[in-house]
Amino acid sequence: MQYVLARMRLMPWSWHHTGMLGAHDLPPLNLQALPPEAAAWIARWQHAERQLALRDQALVDRDRELLQARDLLQRKDRDIAWRDAKIEKITFELARLKRWKFGASSEAMDADQRRLFEETIAEDEASLRAQLEQLRLQAAADDAGKAKPKEAPRQPRRQALPEHLRRVEHRHEPDSTDCQEPGCGRPMTRIGEDMSERLDIVPAEFFVHRHIYGKWACRCCQVLRQASSIPELIEGGMAASGLIAHTLISRCVDHLPYYRQEAINARSGVHTPRSTLAAWAGQAGAALEPLYEVHKAFILACRVLHADETPVKLLDPGAGKTRRAYVWAYARSWHDAVPGVIYEFCLGRGAQYPKTFLAGNAQQGRGRWSGTLLTDRYGGYDSVLDPRIHPDRISAACVAHARRKFDELARDGTSPIGDEAIRRYARIYAVEAELKDMNDDERQAQRQRLAKPLWDNLKQWLELERRLVADGGAAAGAIDYTLGHWSTLTRYLDDGAVAIDNNHLERQIKPWAMGRRAWLFAGSELAGQRTAMVMSLVQSARLNGHDPWAYLRDVLARLPTQLNSRIEELLPHRWQPSAVC
């Protein structure tokens, strides 16, 4: 010890006055040359310092793990709160459906309203119960660390499937019929089979899938082997994916109410009550909702969007009459290489609906949208595109809407301005037709070279004519509309990805106009949302060249086994038919 103290007295002055010294601060020592007591004391000192360093590192690691655990708990708390809120909402909707179903206020409906109302109630109830069951299974899995074992489905009481229908047999046998028990390996004996039947349809023909599951047993080991059952969208039901798809297509695309589908199916000797058809549609709608959300994110990934809205009637059970609701539609640009359209059923036409849609959803991984929005200049879009609030959003107007105002003048024959304006717009559209197959950069360059001079001449002519027409007339209104929205009408000249008009989206809204004439009104807000989901996927499949029924049938067949991480494979623009499709 005296030797060590002597060495410390010989150290530089700064080592004495800079605080506590560590082992790394001492000059190298030859421990073998020191007295045994001093060497042992230094070794203990160095060991203690190493232990302190290890303890400090352990504390740092523990703090990091605690932070990670706290973040994980916060995320789980948010997920649980969101799930509980959704369960509460679904439970409330179910209770409200029950009140509507048995309430005396429904007596105010006429026969047609009552029929659609009963169908909608059955459809909504099936959809809500399917969503509620899925949320409860997720909650049970989170609490227990594993999924709740599924109860054996009750055998439904239903009529036997007609014997005259064609049967298509699908035989399922184990991969190996040799006993897999250790030390055995003997061939197993087939002792029987289980059989299930599901009703399916191809256009104009019902047929039955007969699934036969062979039973194999090893008499030596007393072991039974059988192929696993094929997962179905509606477990324990008689409907195969093709029949469910046919029901949805008939309802949402062909606009056939369930009572008409029931009568059509009855002509083939198949009994499908409209309450059963509605329940199938409700469960299918619940299963399609995750795919719809992913499709929404795909639509919002495009920097140029078309937007429009159309009114539909919504049944108000409490009042016994209908009210006005709206379907908002959004489509990727007409010039985008991958088309797609999405619909959203809303209770009104206010600006809050496009604001919410374009704001994104952090819970679902959708960010806030930015880009160019092509609209018909309805005032509800003004706050959505306000440059003071959304500097990253650009407004573009539909040229076809401006042209139609002059077309009305030409048809009425009240002003020669209408004919001349139509001729000038025709030359602008002729230029645009020649640029259809170009890429965005080439299209923009040619628009600047060919179309911009035509627009400059049109503006000069309109300003001159405006001085000659009286205020308040139809001609003045048509001219003021074009000049008042000049910058947004000509926005497409500066961006080759922007279309000249909104006609592309207006064509995608036509199915809703046809539906209004067929089913007259939506039975409930949930039914409108469900129809919007199905029509979004089906109409996008059409835009991508797919048969709607083939697409929906394959998607419904694959959804029960499709991983959430690979659900994008079922989007209309990425869908590839499966081997059995």
Side-chain angles (χ1 to χ4, degrees):
M1 178 62 66
Q2 295 177 354
Y3 176 81
V4 173
L5 294 175
R7 288 289 302 268
M8 292 178 65
R9 283 194 294 269
L10 295 176
M11 292 178 186
W13 178 87
S14 60
W15 291 1
H16 290 279
H17 300 277
T18 54
M20 183 67 67
L21 295 176
H24 57 278
D25 296 318
L26 292 173
L29 293 175
N30 186 359
L31 298 180
Q32 296 179 353
L34 296 175
E37 294 181 358
W41 187 85
I42 292 176
R44 287 195 300 271
W45 183 20
Q46 292 175 340
H47 177 73
E49 189 171 67
R50 286 195 298 270
Q51 294 298 319
L52 287 173
L54 291 174
R55 188 187 65 178
D56 292 342
Q57 183 62 40
L59 290 174
V60 171
D61 293 341
R62 188 186 65 178
D63 291 342
R64 183 169 60 252
E65 291 175 356
L66 288 175
L67 288 174
Q68 293 174 352
R70 186 180 64 182
D71 292 342
L72 180 61
L73 287 174
Q74 291 176 348
R75 286 198 302 271
K76 287 189 174 181
D77 289 342
R78 289 194 297 268
D79 292 342
I80 291 172
W82 174 83
R83 186 173 61 232
D84 291 344
K86 192 167 184 180
I87 289 176
E88 182 180 357
K89 179 182 177 182
I90 292 174
T91 305
F92 171 77
E93 293 289 347
L94 284 171
R96 185 168 64 170
L97 287 178
K98 185 178 294 185
R99 290 196 303 271
W100 286 353
K101 186 175 182 180
F102 300 105
S105 60
S106 62
E107 299 297 330
M109 304 179 194
D110 58 31
D112 290 336
Q113 289 176 335
R114 181 181 297 280
R115 181 169 55 243
L116 180 57
F117 175 67
E118 291 173 352
E119 296 172 356
T120 303
I121 286 291
E123 188 175 330
D124 289 350
E125 185 175 4
S127 176
L128 290 172
R129 290 193 183 280
Q131 295 179 48
L132 188 60
E133 180 64 20
Q134 184 178 6
L135 289 172
R136 285 174 174 170
L137 286 175
Q138 291 176 358
D142 292 341
D143 294 339
K146 60 180 181 179
K148 180 181 177 181
K150 191 173 182 180
E151 298 179 358
R154 294 183 302 171
Q155 291 297 327
R157 294 183 178 179
R158 59 172 181 258
Q159 296 181 1
L161 298 176
E163 291 297 331
H164 70 274
L165 297 180
R166 176 171 60 94
R167 258 64 176 177
V168 178
E169 291 190 352
H170 307 268
R171 295 192 172 271
H172 310 275
E173 304 293 349
D175 295 335
S176 173
T177 58
D178 293 335
C179 183
Q180 302 297 316
E181 293 298 311
C184 184
R186 299 177 183 178
M188 305 177 81
T189 305
R190 200 173 197 273
I191 60 172
E193 61 189 25
D194 288 333
M195 182 176 65
S196 66
E197 290 189 340
R198 289 183 177 271
L199 187 65
D200 204 346
I201 187 175
V202 294
E205 180 192 8
F206 284 96
F207 67 97
V208 176
H209 289 286
R210 176 174 287 174
H211 296 271
I212 302 171
Y213 297 88
K215 292 182 177 180
W216 296 81
C218 178
R219 299 190 185 278
C220 175
C221 301
Q222 298 296 309
V223 175
L224 178 68
R225 183 175 297 276
Q226 193 173 26
S228 301
S229 61
I230 303 299
E232 294 285 350
L233 186 71
I234 301 178
E235 291 292 342
M238 71 173 180
S241 59
L243 181 56
I244 301 173
H246 174 75
T247 302
L248 291 175
I249 295 295
S250 298
R251 171 75 169 176
C252 301
V253 179
D254 300 330
H255 314 296
L256 293 176
Y258 293 130
Y259 76 92
R260 293 181 62 188
Q261 293 188 49
E262 178 184 2
I264 292 171
N265 296 346
R267 290 200 295 267
S268 298
V270 176
H271 180 59
T272 53
R274 58 178 180 266
S275 60
T276 300
L277 297 173
W280 292 347
Q283 291 177 272
L288 287 171
E289 185 174 355
L291 184 61
Y292 172 81
E293 294 297 334
V294 176
H295 182 62
K296 183 187 296 185
F298 163 70
I299 297 296
L300 292 178
C302 186
R303 69 176 182 86
V304 177
L305 288 182
H306 298 256
D308 203 355
E309 73 289 333
T310 188
V312 294
K313 291 182 179 180
L314 173 65
L315 182 64
D316 187 352
K321 58 183 181 180
T322 61
R323 54 171 293 188
R324 174 169 286 196
Y326 282 85
V327 172
W328 293 76
Y330 306 86
R332 292 170 70 92
S333 173
W334 165 244
H335 296 299
D336 195 86
V338 185
V341 64
I342 195 163
Y343 308 106
E344 187 177 39
F345 187 88
C346 301
L347 296 179
R349 201 188 182 197
Q352 67 268 28
Y353 298 108
K355 277 184 178 179
T356 302
F357 184 87
L358 299 176
N361 189 318
Q363 186 73 30
Q364 297 169 352
R366 289 188 288 107
R368 178 178 167 278
W369 177 82
S370 61
T372 302
L373 191 66
L374 178 58
T375 67
D376 58 3
R377 301 309 304 153
Y378 162 57
Y381 296 107
D382 291 344
S383 58
V384 178
L385 297 167
D386 189 341
R388 295 170 298 179
I389 304 175
H390 307 289
D392 54 346
R393 293 178 181 173
I394 302 172
S395 175
C398 173
V399 175
H401 275 74
R403 179 189 177 280
R404 286 170 195 161
K405 298 183 179 297
F406 293 102
D407 187 56
E408 293 172 358
L409 290 177
R411 287 200 307 268
D412 295 341
T414 57
S415 173
I417 294 177
D419 293 328
E420 177 60 24
I422 291 299
R423 284 192 289 269
R424 290 176 179 267
Y425 274 114
R427 289 194 287 270
I428 291 174
Y429 268 89
V431 170
E432 188 66 19
E434 297 177 358
L435 311 181
K436 177 182 177 181
D437 297 328
M438 296 183 180
N439 61 44
D440 293 346
D441 293 336
E442 293 174 346
R443 189 180 301 110
Q444 178 187 357
Q446 293 302 315
R447 283 172 175 174
Q448 292 289 326
R449 186 175 72 87
L450 300 174
K452 191 175 186 303
L454 298 177
W455 280 98
D456 294 339
N457 293 335
L458 175 63
K459 185 176 184 181
Q460 295 175 2
W461 175 74
L462 289 175
E463 291 173 341
L464 177 62
E465 292 294 332
R466 183 62 182 86
R467 301 190 189 103
L468 304 178
V469 299
D471 294 341
I479 295 175
D480 289 343
Y481 180 89
T482 300
L483 293 178
H485 298 97
W486 189 263
S487 61
T488 54
L489 287 171
T490 58
R491 186 80 65 193
Y492 84 103
L493 297 174
D494 301 323
D495 190 346
V498 180
I500 189 174
D501 56 37
N502 213 19
N503 290 349
H504 167 57
L505 184 55
E506 291 182 1
R507 289 191 292 271
Q508 311 312 315
I509 289 183
K510 281 185 178 180
W512 287 93
M514 296 172 61
R516 286 198 299 261
R517 293 193 293 269
W519 34 258
L520 302 181
F521 49 82
S524 71
E525 183 182 357
L526 286 174
Q529 293 170 350
R530 191 162 43 248
T531 304
M533 285 193 300
V534 175
M535 290 186 67
S536 298
L537 297 171
V538 168
Q539 196 66 17
S540 296
R542 278 179 165 176
L543 290 174
N544 285 274
H546 304 312
D547 174 67
W549 175 82
Y551 166 74
L552 197 57
R553 172 191 177 275
D554 187 53
V555 167
L556 293 176
R558 292 162 62 178
L559 272 177
T561 57
Q562 189 77 11
L563 297 175
N564 287 336
S565 59
R566 299 178 57 184
I567 198 171
E568 293 87 356
E569 297 175 1
L570 302 182
L571 289 173
H573 67 284
R574 296 186 60 182
W575 175 69
Q576 295 293 330
S578 61
V580 296
C581 182

